[in-house]
Amino acid sequence: MSLDAVLAKIDTDLSDATERLKELLRIPSISTDPAYAQHCQTAADWLVADLARLGVPAQKRETPGHPMVVGHINEDSDGPHLLFYGHYDVQPVDPLDLWDNDPFDPQVEDTAKGQVIRGRGSADDKGQLMTFLEACRAWTHVHGALPCRITFFFEGEEESGSPSLVPFMQENADELRADIALICDTGLFESKTPAIVTMLRGLLGEEFTIQGPDIDLHSGMYGGISINPIRVMGKVIAGLHDDEGRITVPHFYDGVAELSDEMEAQWQGLAFDHAHFLGEVGLSHPAGEQDRTPLEMIWSRPTCEVNGIWGGYTGDGFKTVLPAQAHAKISFRLVGDQDPEAIRANFRAYVQSMLPEDCTVEFKGHSSGAASATETTDPMFEKARQALSTEWGVPAAYVGCGGSIPIAGHFQNILDTTPMLIGFGKDDDALHSPNEKYDVESFHKGIRSWARILDALT
Ligand code: BES
Ligand code: ZN
């Protein structure tokens, strides 16, 4: 009965909740670009103030990077101790000219598929983060208090590899340890089925520069006799995969496990429509390891992707230059027990081995984190799954996720706290891309889902 009152309050409050989300979205809290550091502070302050409005005492906690926000409520109460995590930082917006509107002037738009909230961070992760806060707001309005002990933990560095997270969690382990960590940073399965993510891929980033001649050269004077580092880069990159889509870096597959029979059966039951998934972005053919299913390709197999490559003259017109340098940024998605640092070393050795005479290479390492997987044996999982199924009218599924959320593994390893990953994003949200959006349906039903989950877990 009282859950109905909370759900009704969520329904009537939706437009105010949307306005609050728009306030948060107006803060350009881009974590990877130091020029936006002050805006990360502002976003953290905004969250502290919003938690205070909810009656939750919270603090901005400085780190060597962007601040964390931590709040606690009902610390002495019996019952489960839930922790809620989300990240307030967002990805850069470039290329800006591909946005139809200012990425930090969010708007509610009518589209053929329904209403959306458009703006950088709407789906990743401010809109998702706010689903939990709005559920708590409605709950508090109806009941006068939240149902159990809850720790709120918001990060501002997720999109840049969470460099301050491990020391912060280690230093504050007793404060942050909980019975379960609810993480809202993932999506629905096929944009319609509620899902609990049980596997996340890890990530390893590498940037490198291949140097040939000391200076850029005239390609007429030197072309033919001089090595061209872009040509070398092309060969290095082309050699990373074989014709079957397998990655060639030595020992790359060490630690990659086969799917359990149970998981394989579960995933088969999902009947993933890969043609639709690819069709939505103008593709048709699954281009990964050719002996793997499409779901394996995006959830349980490791990858190597070139994220950027540059060098030589790329401006308007034409310049007959033989460039001195070629650059690339490459990332690996990791699974199972793959060891990021071993792969970094083996990758670097591979690049070295491909260099002809007169070429040298310099590497710059970016963040790394291993994959994580979650057991779903705690009865709280089944309760949450039921609550999600009721809200969405279809049975919620256990799924994998090809993305990386570093904190999930850290909860497990540092705090011995199981992460429960539930989110409401859709495949066409354009995460990290121009015109990112979050469906009003995701926001509304996301809030209602958390209210049902709070009710089920307490
Ligand atoms: N919310 C995403 C993870 C995600 C991606 C969930 C796709 C569902 C579908 C998260 O914020 C993210 O983008 N993580 C980065 C982590 C990296 C920068 C360390 C990623 O996966 O690239
Ligand atoms: Zn995210």
Side-chain angles (χ1 to χ4, degrees):
M1 211 38 221
S2 56
L3 174 62
D4 288 342
V6 175
L7 296 175
K9 173 68 184 159
I10 291 169
D11 295 348
T12 55
D13 204 32
L14 183 62
S15 76
D16 286 348
T18 308
E19 287 309 312
R20 285 185 285 270
L21 170 57
K22 282 165 73 179
E23 262 182 43
L24 180 58
L25 289 171
R26 280 187 203 106
I27 308 169
S29 45
I30 301 171
S31 61
T32 48
D33 186 342
Y36 291 80
Q38 196 50 47
H39 297 297
C40 292
Q41 293 282 341
T42 308
D45 289 333
W46 191 92
L47 287 167
V48 169
D50 198 49
L51 284 167
R53 278 196 288 271
L54 270 173
V56 178
Q59 288 175 319
K60 185 169 78 172
R61 309 264 288 261
E62 294 300 338
T63 73
H66 305 304
M68 308 284 175
V69 172
V70 185
H72 299 285
I73 190 83
N74 301 335
E75 283 176 88
D76 298 323
S77 82
D78 295 335
H81 175 192
L82 310 181
L83 180 145
F84 178 78
Y85 165 90
H87 62 92
Y88 66 77
D89 64 319
V90 301
Q91 284 276 329
V93 294
D94 60 285
L96 189 58
D97 55 316
L98 293 187
W99 286 80
D100 296 333
N101 287 307
D102 181 344
F104 295 111
D105 182 17
Q107 305 291 341
V108 176
E109 271 175 38
D110 289 313
T111 76
K113 292 186 192 168
Q115 285 202 312
V116 306
I117 305 160
R118 195 164 313 269
R120 173 56 91 227
S122 52
D124 192 8
D125 180 45
K126 290 172 174 173
Q128 305 241 65
L129 181 159
M130 289 306 291
T131 56
F132 191 79
L133 291 195
E134 294 301 343
C136 289
R137 202 181 320 270
W139 191 289
T140 307
H141 178 89
V142 169
H143 294 277
L146 285 165
C148 63
R149 180 175 176 191
I150 303 181
T151 296
F152 297 81
F153 182 20
F154 303 133
E155 188 194 352
E157 297 186 321
E158 199 275 346
E159 299 291 7
S160 35
S162 303
S164 308
L165 193 60
V166 169
F168 188 85
M169 289 176 89
Q170 283 167 338
E171 279 159 30
N172 301 285
D174 289 339
E175 185 186 345
L176 296 172
R177 190 169 291 113
D179 294 315
I180 197 104
L182 306 171
I183 300 179
C184 193
D185 195 20
T186 51
L188 303 166
F189 176 67
E190 294 194 314
S191 303
K192 51 186 187 293
T193 303
I196 302 180
V197 167
T198 64
M199 289 171 84
L200 285 162
R201 292 196 284 199
L203 188 67
L204 165 68
E206 277 285 275
E207 179 172 343
F208 62 107
T209 297
I210 297 176
Q211 177 88 38
D214 296 337
I215 55 169
D216 284 2
L217 302 174
H218 189 292
S219 70
M221 264 172 90
Y222 287 92
I225 197 170
S226 310
I227 189 73
N228 182 327
I230 295 185
R231 221 176 85 206
V232 177
M233 179 62 88
K235 198 165 172 186
V236 166
I237 287 175
L240 282 166
H241 295 85
D242 69 15
D243 289 346
E244 301 305 309
R246 277 179 74 83
I247 293 146
T248 58
V249 173
H251 302 292
F252 182 73
Y253 289 93
D254 289 2
V256 178
E258 289 300 324
L259 274 187
S260 66
D261 291 346
E262 188 195 347
M263 193 81 91
E264 200 180 325
Q266 227 174 55
W267 289 7
Q268 257 166 17
L270 292 173
F272 177 51
D273 183 353
H274 72 267
H276 179 77
F277 181 74
L278 288 173
E280 292 269 273
V281 291
L283 299 174
S284 60
H285 177 67
E289 294 167 89
Q290 291 304 295
D291 56 344
R292 299 289 168 175
T293 65
L295 270 191
E296 284 180 289
M297 288 182 194
I298 55 171
W299 288 352
S300 67
R301 299 296 296 176
T303 68
C304 165
E305 294 299 344
V306 186
N307 303 116
I309 174 167
W310 68 104
Y313 183 71
T314 57
D316 285 342
F318 208 82
K319 185 177 174 192
T320 51
V321 65
L322 195 161
Q325 295 183 327
H327 314 265
K329 288 180 196 266
I330 292 205
S331 62
F332 297 89
R333 294 282 168 180
L334 308 177
V335 304
D337 293 326
Q338 277 182 303
D339 174 354
E341 292 312 318
I343 290 172
R344 199 194 292 284
N346 291 332
F347 167 73
R348 290 182 178 192
Y350 157 80
V351 176
Q352 288 280 5
S353 76
M354 297 285 286
L355 295 184
E357 265 180 76
D358 291 334
C359 281
T360 55
V361 61
E362 262 188 48
F363 294 98
K364 179 176 172 192
H366 287 271
S367 67
S368 72
S372 62
T374 310
E375 291 288 338
T376 54
T377 42
D378 187 312
M380 282 198 266
F381 277 86
E382 197 42 37
K383 289 180 187 168
R385 209 180 65 78
Q386 297 276 349
L388 284 169
S389 308
T390 308
E391 175 58 28
W392 292 82
V394 273
Y398 288 118
V399 301
C401 173
S404 307
I405 303 174
I407 200 168
H410 301 324
F411 272 125
Q412 233 151 13
N413 301 333
I414 302 173
L415 304 182
D416 200 21
T417 295
T418 303
M420 188 190 282
L421 293 134
I422 295 172
F424 312 101
K426 299 192 178 182
D427 291 338
D428 64 353
D429 282 345
L431 300 186
H432 299 195
S433 294
N435 299 322
E436 178 179 348
K437 59 86 177 163
Y438 197 46
D439 280 19
V440 171
E441 183 194 39
S442 295
F443 188 51
H444 185 191
K445 290 176 87 65
I447 301 169
R448 291 174 54 98
S449 298
W450 286 123
R452 290 188 189 276
I453 291 170
L454 280 178
D455 184 63
L457 297 185
T458 56

